[in-house]
Amino acid sequence: MYFKSNVLTITILSLINGLFAWKYASRASNDLLLILSVLISTILPFLLYFIYLYKLNAVVQKILNSGKFTLLLLAGVIICSAAFYLYYPQELLRVDRYEMIRLFWDNFLSQKCPYCPRSEGTNIPGPFPFYFFAAFPFYLIGETGLYSILGFLLFAGIILKTKSISTALKNTIFLLLVTSPAVLFELFCRSTNLLNSTLLLFCCILISRINLSTWKQLIAIGIVTGFVMSTRSFSFLIFALAFIYTYKKQIFHWKVFGTSFTALLTFVLTFIPVIIICGDSFRKYNPFSVQAMFAPPFLTVSVAVSSCVIVYFLRSFHNFSTICGYGLFILTLGYSLSLIALEGFREAIFSSSVDISYFCFAIPFILYGLGRVEEKQIILSQAE
């Protein structure tokens, strides 16, 4: 079962890689380059995972079990990203993550509604306020790429601190990351979806590990959860799943209600500065109208209900992480297919009506879920 589910995880990553390679390699107007890019991007994840799984080569296995190789990979990504930032200024990018952060804070500091467009008919910022509050230091220094690197490093820290994952699997996960066109897009194009999703994963880990035995813990977890909820709307679903997975039959305990209330209160409070500045403009220009268009309502409800039922019976956090990743992938796929049905595949994908970077939301969850194979092995060895 674990083998099959991990193959499904690698398949999803390969599909995401192939989609990114197809979209961006096609701009080179070279058919051979396009074919090679798609083939390598889709085959490489399977190759890397099976090398780890079957230990096909002793030299490769020695490298995978090396902590120095881990540091080399992480340092290489940071150096390459920083070099690209110096070579290619963010103002030249056609990705609007940087522009939306700049628009929000330009408006805010000018005492204008942060969610208003620069001119009528253009895009407005989509994420909730805390997303922009956290990005403020990077707005000040003029480089949002560091915001993206922060997400990569946070995910690396989560993997490195997970004791149930061996060094070999950790390095395999990092190799899957740094060879993924989707992840490279996130880093080089200063996108922030990987960071957003990694923050969610981090908070879910906190919820699953901290026993709400004191008011301080209850309030602290509630505040952190509320801040992360104030990034994107799908975080509500992920946190609901985290509480159901963690507390099962005790989900209606007063401590859970207390944490949830603190989280919702924190979420609401992040909007206060924005609403004060926006006034009546917030009715017309707000992030709720943007994020409500993410996925078809029927699909969202179906994924939410089925996920709640599944995670209730799970005992492994790695399995929980996998289910969350699959759910996010299905929601993004539903959003993409609905636009493709309206506009046609080529128009929707290549004119960027479909934001394929949303598929990156699933990546941290599905890759963290790969650890369930070794977690199972640990449980069996302890039982013996």
Side-chain angles (χ1 to χ4, degrees):
M1 182 182 70
Y2 291 97
F3 172 78
K4 292 180 180 178
S5 56
N6 276 358
V7 169
L8 178 57
T9 292
I10 299 299
T11 301
I12 289 174
L13 181 62
S14 294
L15 290 174
I16 295 173
N17 287 352
L19 182 60
F20 272 83
W22 187 14
K23 177 174 180 176
Y24 293 105
S26 63
R27 295 179 178 179
S29 300
N30 185 314
D31 291 339
L32 178 61
L33 176 63
L34 175 60
I35 293 171
L36 287 176
S37 298
V38 173
L39 285 176
I40 292 172
S41 298
T42 53
I43 294 173
L44 191 56
F46 288 101
L47 179 63
L48 291 172
Y49 184 68
F50 284 119
I51 287 175
Y52 152 76
L53 196 63
Y54 293 107
K55 300 175 174 57
L56 299 179
N57 185 292
V59 175
V60 173
Q61 288 304 312
K62 184 177 180 180
I63 294 173
L64 287 179
N65 283 295
S66 171
K68 292 181 180 179
F69 183 66
T70 306
L71 295 176
L72 183 64
L73 274 177
L74 298 180
V77 170
I78 295 171
I79 292 171
C80 290
S81 298
F84 184 83
Y85 299 159
L86 292 173
Y87 173 77
Y88 203 90
Q90 59 190 1
E91 290 80 7
L92 300 178
L93 294 170
R94 289 189 286 176
V95 181
D96 72 348
R97 302 288 187 270
Y98 155 71
E99 173 56 27
M100 291 301 102
I101 291 173
R102 190 174 69 169
L103 172 59
F104 182 96
W105 282 112
D106 285 350
N107 284 347
F108 190 96
L109 296 176
S110 301
Q111 293 296 301
K112 298 177 183 178
C113 179
Y115 285 100
C116 285
R118 290 199 187 277
S119 57
E120 198 64 33
T122 58
N123 291 341
I124 69 170
F128 294 144
F130 184 73
Y131 169 93
F132 297 103
F133 297 160
F136 184 61
F138 308 101
Y139 165 82
L140 287 179
I141 63 177
E143 182 50 79
T144 55
L146 300 178
Y147 201 28
S148 306
I149 289 180
L150 183 63
F152 178 83
L153 292 178
L154 177 60
F155 181 74
I158 290 172
I159 296 298
L160 290 173
K161 287 292 184 179
T162 303
K163 295 180 180 179
S164 61
I165 300 179
S166 68
T167 301
L169 182 53
K170 288 174 182 176
N171 281 330
T172 301
I173 290 173
F174 292 144
L175 282 170
L176 290 171
L177 272 180
V178 301
T179 58
S180 168
V183 174
L184 295 177
F185 169 88
E186 282 286 303
L187 291 171
F188 293 158
C189 293
R190 283 89 156 176
S191 186
T192 54
N193 293 336
L194 190 73
L195 167 65
N196 211 156
S197 190
T198 302
L199 279 173
L200 273 173
L201 175 61
F202 176 72
C203 286
C204 288
I205 293 172
L206 287 181
I207 292 170
S208 68
R209 292 182 180 179
I210 295 180
N211 182 21
L212 301 178
S213 57
T214 67
W215 276 102
K216 288 183 179 180
Q217 292 177 335
L218 184 152
I219 293 173
I221 292 295
I223 291 174
V224 172
T225 301
F227 280 142
V228 179
M229 283 167 58
S230 184
T231 53
R232 292 187 181 273
S233 56
F234 68 83
S235 62
F236 283 80
L237 171 60
I238 300 300
F239 284 134
L241 296 177
F243 280 109
I244 292 171
Y245 163 76
T246 302
Y247 296 104
K248 303 286 193 296
K249 294 180 180 179
Q250 294 182 323
I251 190 65
F252 297 110
H253 193 279
W254 67 267
K255 290 182 179 179
V256 179
F257 275 109
T259 306
S260 302
F261 175 79
T262 305
L264 289 172
L265 180 61
T266 303
F267 171 79
V268 171
L269 289 175
T270 62
F271 280 85
I272 299 300
V274 173
I275 294 174
I276 290 174
I277 294 177
C278 288
D280 291 337
S281 298
F282 192 75
R283 295 174 183 269
K284 182 178 180 181
Y285 300 113
N286 62 78
F288 298 100
S289 59
V290 177
Q291 298 198 42
M293 300 183 293
F294 181 69
F298 175 76
L299 179 64
T300 302
V301 173
S302 300
V303 169
V305 172
S306 57
S307 298
C308 287
V309 173
I310 293 171
V311 301
Y312 180 85
F313 295 100
L314 296 179
R315 295 183 179 180
S316 163
F317 186 84
H318 289 287
N319 285 333
F320 165 82
S321 181
T322 301
I323 294 300
C324 289
Y326 289 173
L328 291 172
F329 175 78
I330 292 170
L331 289 175
T332 308
L333 185 63
Y335 144 81
S336 303
L337 292 177
S338 63
L339 288 176
I340 289 172
L342 290 173
E343 303 179 13
F345 183 84
R346 179 165 291 276
E347 179 67 21
I349 298 297
F350 291 95
S351 69
S352 297
S353 296
V354 172
D355 189 342
I356 63 172
S357 68
Y358 287 166
F359 281 105
C360 294
F361 288 138
I363 290 177
F365 285 95
I366 61 175
L367 289 185
Y368 188 85
L370 289 175
R372 62 188 170 275
V373 170
E374 294 186 341
E375 184 181 56
K376 181 68 174 179
Q377 291 172 350
I378 292 173
I379 293 172
L380 290 175
S381 64
Q382 289 176 345
E384 294 175 357

